[in-house]
Amino acid sequence: MRSDHIAFPFSARRPALPALLLACAIAAIAAASAPAGAAAAGGEFADMSIEQLGEVVITSLSRQEERLGEAAAAVFVISAEDIRRSGARTLPEALRLAPNLQVARVDARNYAITARGFNSPFENKLLMLIDGRSVYSPLFSGVYWDVQDVVMEDVARIEVISGPGATIWGANAVNGVINVITRPAGDSQGGLLAASAGGREQDGALRYGGALPADGRYRVYAKYARADATETTRGVDTVTGWRRVQGGFRADWALAPGALTLSGDAYDGALGQARTVDILVSGANLQASLRRKLDGGAELRLQAILDHTERNQPNAFVERLDTLTLEAQHSLRLAGGHNVTWGGGYRQARDRVENGPLFAFLPGDSTLRWANLFAQDELALRPALRLTAGLKLERNNYTGLELLPNLRLAWTPAAGQLWWTSLSRSVRAPSRIDRDLFAPGKPVIIAGKPFYALAGGPQFASEVAKVLELGYRAQPRPQWSYSLTAYVAEYDKLRTLEPHPGASSLFSNMGEGRSRGLEAWGRWQAAPSWRLSGGLVLQHVATRLKPGSHDASGDTGLATNDPNLHWSLRSSHELSEHCQLDLSLRHTGKLPRPAVPAYYEMDAQLLWRLRPDLDLALLGQNLLHARHHEFGAEATSSVFERSVLLRLSKRF
């Protein structure tokens, strides 16, 4: 975020986020390939049939292992092979592969990513996790996409749930959950050197894995990436170029009845911003996870995470955030067909902000705490009928105790078919923007009293979503499978900006809304060497003001900027034993505010395996147009240009 990202997001006198709404150029993406030895870098998905893909084990829905084909939710799995064949070099570009997500690049480093509507660079209803570590910011309940990175070749899969996940993951898992799951160290042994270069972007990664005592395995990595700034439709430099270095490790030990994992990452970077010097970003995290198998098939999981981030935005603010997360989970089977999972967690974040002249977080230093207890019971009513009931109790600083229930019913009428339905309540808990933001940084004194143009609402409550879903998943034949989900969601207490005697505008909860839609995706093995996959989302999001509201936020408040239709189609073709061609066509319907015309685009990757340990990939992106923009007002947004990159991957 640049200095004006928070300074004017809700101004009644200024268009919504003008400096943010700049689309990014060049998404030339690159691929790396499986290391020699076949088990890593995509090997687990590389040769899977459509039928085998339904057997993939996921963990994000219930924090227990379950087959994708039996998951009673709208879950899409982006496999390591999908990532490799698409050439995605960043997490946001990999997320384009999920048909149940809407992904738009805002400028050279910012994205607008959502599920089921309410998209913006400040999207605050989608929870993002990396190996179970939450990466959302307590400042605005969203994700700084410009600092989230991994070695893409080390991603095992990305599990994308559209719809609420609050019973398991807590507040902010309102419209969806994204969990990036990296490989065990044992699946990334040996060395990898990968580098890509194009006209405006370059990146490189070096990773090595080996053995440890006591049947352990490790890997270490270093990564560098940079991108030039984009231009607007009028040829103006957006000054949003960036560079970042990152390194880290992972170590795994197979214990007799379980496993132990230690991992950590550190990064440092500089992000361009208009009208001032670079934003400086840095951070580090350390994570320990222990899994133990107990008698009777029970399992215990413990996790501890330390996370530190810094963000220095000149003339705006400096933030230093230290977060401690502790979690415990116990799963067991009880008589009568009950499969129970219960546990709890504690999260503490010490947020220290040095305020600037344009706005201030008051108090500057704040300690935020979240504590939770949850339980979920999956009961087999009949051999083909399962009922899952869950409840999470979560307490936060601002609103106290929140109740997050969920009820799911799954019916398997025949092999290869699943009907399911769910009813959920989730919340978006207040962020520091909602309660602690004041503008300008120092108040104007009027009649001896301080006066702010904008102030956080001391009574701002959690936004609430109640969601009903109905889904069907089937594999009629071994060559093809598909999934359908219909949903309707009722939103209450949405954020508005209301007049107040002590400030010209105060954050309040005088909005409400409804969204409804249909999500569909499928895969078809058209020939032994050719696979097609695609997805489609039809949606309608409507918001309105409650009686008595005098909302002054305009386009920055309840206005949504979502297409009613977006779809994608991918083709993966083995041209020969050593050559692969992948094409990805996507369509995004028009956006209303700011208006963006509907568009089609195509990306492609042609990959040659020159030797068993050496791959060369030619990447092309935005091949259908010389330039186009994806998000924001046309006059000020960035444009995407047709681009080509080369990527080389060497395993040793």
Side-chain angles (χ1 to χ4, degrees):
M1 291 170 56
R2 296 187 298 276
S3 60
D4 54 353
H5 283 194
I6 297 180
F8 301 105
F10 307 98
S11 170
R13 302 176 182 269
R14 185 169 175 173
L17 307 176
L20 267 178
L21 304 178
L22 304 172
C24 173
I26 314 181
I29 42 182
S33 190
E44 66 179 294
F45 285 92
D47 301 315
M48 281 190 171
S49 66
I50 300 296
E51 190 171 19
Q52 289 171 324
L53 287 170
E55 302 293 325
V56 169
V57 173
I58 64 171
T59 58
S60 299
L61 181 60
S62 63
R63 294 203 192 191
Q64 292 191 79
E65 294 182 349
E66 57 185 310
R67 292 175 53 249
L68 176 61
E70 297 177 349
V75 184
F76 185 87
V77 174
I78 304 170
S79 72
E81 180 70 359
D82 291 333
I83 295 171
R84 184 184 71 85
R85 297 195 64 134
S86 72
R89 296 179 298 121
T90 66
L91 288 175
E93 291 303 325
L95 294 178
R96 286 193 189 273
L97 302 174
N100 51 343
L101 289 180
Q102 178 189 341
V103 179
R105 297 195 72 170
V106 176
D107 55 38
R109 57 185 178 80
N110 290 301
Y111 289 81
I113 300 176
T114 192
R116 299 186 177 178
F118 294 91
N119 204 18
S120 83
F122 286 99
E123 206 288 332
N124 57 19
K125 297 176 178 62
L126 182 69
L127 186 65
M128 171 75 173
L129 307 143
I130 299 177
D131 286 327
R133 174 175 60 90
S134 176
V135 296
Y136 91 101
S137 166
L139 278 185
F140 67 106
S141 299
V143 177
Y144 286 117
W145 292 105
D146 49 28
V147 294
Q148 309 306 331
D149 199 9
V150 295
V151 175
M152 298 304 296
E153 292 81 0
D154 289 340
V155 175
R157 64 188 183 277
I158 304 176
E159 298 176 5
V160 179
I161 302 172
S162 47
T167 301
I168 293 298
W169 297 107
N172 296 78
V174 177
N175 285 353
V177 177
I178 300 169
N179 194 5
V180 179
I181 299 172
T182 62
R183 301 177 178 280
D187 288 349
S188 51
Q189 297 292 280
L192 171 72
L193 177 62
S196 59
R200 296 195 179 189
E201 294 184 65
Q202 297 85 39
D203 66 78
L206 176 64
R207 181 253 286 152
Y208 185 80
L212 291 170
D215 198 25
R217 297 290 186 272
Y218 77 91
R219 68 167 175 259
V220 294
Y221 76 90
K223 183 174 184 179
Y224 172 79
R226 63 165 299 277
D228 294 340
T230 57
E231 293 182 350
T232 70
T233 54
R234 298 177 177 178
V236 179
D237 191 323
T238 64
V239 200
T240 56
W242 58 271
R243 64 185 184 278
R244 186 178 58 244
V245 294
Q246 182 167 320
F249 76 96
R250 174 166 173 160
D252 293 278
W253 288 268
L255 307 178
L260 172 66
T261 298
L262 296 176
S263 63
D265 307 275
Y267 66 87
D268 185 83
L271 315 173
Q273 63 172 347
R275 300 186 299 277
T276 186
V277 298
D278 288 349
I279 299 169
L280 302 180
V281 293
S282 62
N285 64 79
L286 183 64
Q287 182 169 340
S289 302
L290 175 66
R291 188 175 77 249
R292 299 285 291 184
K293 297 289 185 179
L294 306 176
D295 294 339
E299 184 178 77
L300 177 66
R301 298 190 181 193
L302 303 174
Q303 182 166 267
I305 304 170
L306 290 172
D307 200 347
H308 171 78
T309 63
E310 294 189 17
R311 196 173 189 93
N312 183 343
Q313 300 195 192
N315 299 325
F317 68 92
V318 179
E319 183 196 24
R320 297 176 179 86
L321 177 66
D322 293 290
T323 306
L324 167 67
T325 303
L326 302 173
E327 294 179 337
Q329 175 182 308
H330 184 212
S331 303
L332 68 160
R333 295 186 179 274
L334 301 177
H338 294 271
N339 186 10
V340 176
T341 300
W342 70 282
Y346 176 77
R347 178 182 173 95
Q348 178 174 298
R350 185 186 177 195
D351 195 28
R352 294 164 291 168
V353 178
E354 298 176 16
N355 294 308
L358 297 179
F359 58 87
F361 291 92
L362 302 175
D365 293 354
S366 181
T367 299
L368 308 174
R369 297 178 179 87
W370 302 262
N372 72 81
L373 290 173
F374 74 92
Q376 181 169 281
D377 182 14
E378 181 183 293
L379 174 62
L381 301 176
R382 296 180 181 178
L385 189 64
R386 295 176 289 126
L387 175 66
T388 301
L391 174 65
K392 173 166 262 184
L393 306 176
E394 184 169 272
R395 178 175 292 276
N396 65 73
N397 285 52
Y398 295 125
T399 61
L401 187 66
E402 299 283 1
L403 303 181
L404 308 171
N406 173 261
L407 191 67
R408 294 181 184 271
L409 187 66
W411 176 46
T412 308
Q417 297 183 45
L418 175 70
W419 285 94
W420 63 270
T421 186
S422 74
L423 182 63
S424 306
R425 179 186 187 272
S426 57
V427 303
R428 200 274 295 179
S431 65
R432 294 204 67 189
I433 277 185
D434 302 311
R435 287 289 191 99
D436 302 339
L437 180 66
F438 293 82
K442 293 184 178 180
V444 177
I445 305 301
I446 300 178
K449 296 182 178 180
F451 181 86
Y452 291 94
L454 174 69
Q459 304 302 319
F460 189 90
S462 295
E463 298 180 334
V464 179
K466 297 178 181 178
V467 185
L468 174 65
E469 300 174 278
L470 175 65
Y472 179 68
R473 186 179 296 116
Q475 185 177 351
R477 298 186 180 278
Q479 295 84 9
W480 62 288
S481 66
Y482 63 91
S483 174
L484 301 170
T485 303
Y487 66 89
V488 59
E490 296 284 348
Y491 296 90
D492 192 18
K493 301 180 182 180
L494 295 178
R495 180 169 59 196
T496 58
L497 198 55
E498 305 292 338
H500 189 268
S504 61
S505 299
L506 192 76
F507 289 129
S508 188
N509 299 94
M510 296 294 289
E512 58 186 6
R514 168 182 285 190
S515 70
R516 61 183 186 272
L518 174 69
E519 301 167 336
W521 57 81
R523 291 184 171 97
W524 176 37
Q525 193 73 42
S529 61
W530 185 28
R531 180 176 294 178
L532 293 171
S533 60
L536 173 146
V537 171
L538 295 168
Q539 63 182 4
H540 178 72
V541 183
T543 59
R544 55 192 172 271
L545 298 173
K546 293 183 177 182
S549 172
H550 299 281
D551 178 54
S553 60
D555 287 345
T556 64
L558 295 181
T560 61
N561 201 28
D562 306 298
N564 289 332
L565 167 69
H566 61 92
W567 57 260
S568 62
L569 178 64
R570 296 179 57 224
S571 169
S572 298
H573 198 175
E574 304 287 337
L575 300 179
S576 70
E577 182 181 357
H578 304 290
C579 188
Q580 301 171 344
L581 175 63
D582 284 76
L583 303 173
S584 179
L585 176 67
R586 67 183 187 273
H587 169 76
T588 299
K590 64 180 181 180
L591 305 183
R593 291 178 292 187
V596 176
Y599 67 90
Y600 296 85
E601 266 306 347
M602 176 177 284
D603 305 329
Q605 174 177 269
L606 183 61
L607 185 144
W608 296 272
R609 176 150 292 177
L610 304 178
R611 299 194 319 234
D613 63 344
L614 185 64
D615 292 345
L616 178 65
L618 177 65
L619 286 302
Q621 193 163 26
N622 301 321
L623 299 178
L624 300 184
H625 301 90
R627 53 197 287 165
H628 79 285
H629 78 287
E630 292 188 6
F631 203 89
E634 183 175 3
T636 55
S637 65
S638 298
V639 290
F640 303 106
E641 299 176 353
R642 184 181 294 123
S643 59
V644 177
L645 283 85
L646 281 175
R647 184 165 179 84
L648 190 68
S649 303
K650 175 71 170 68
R651 297 165 295 281
F652 56 90

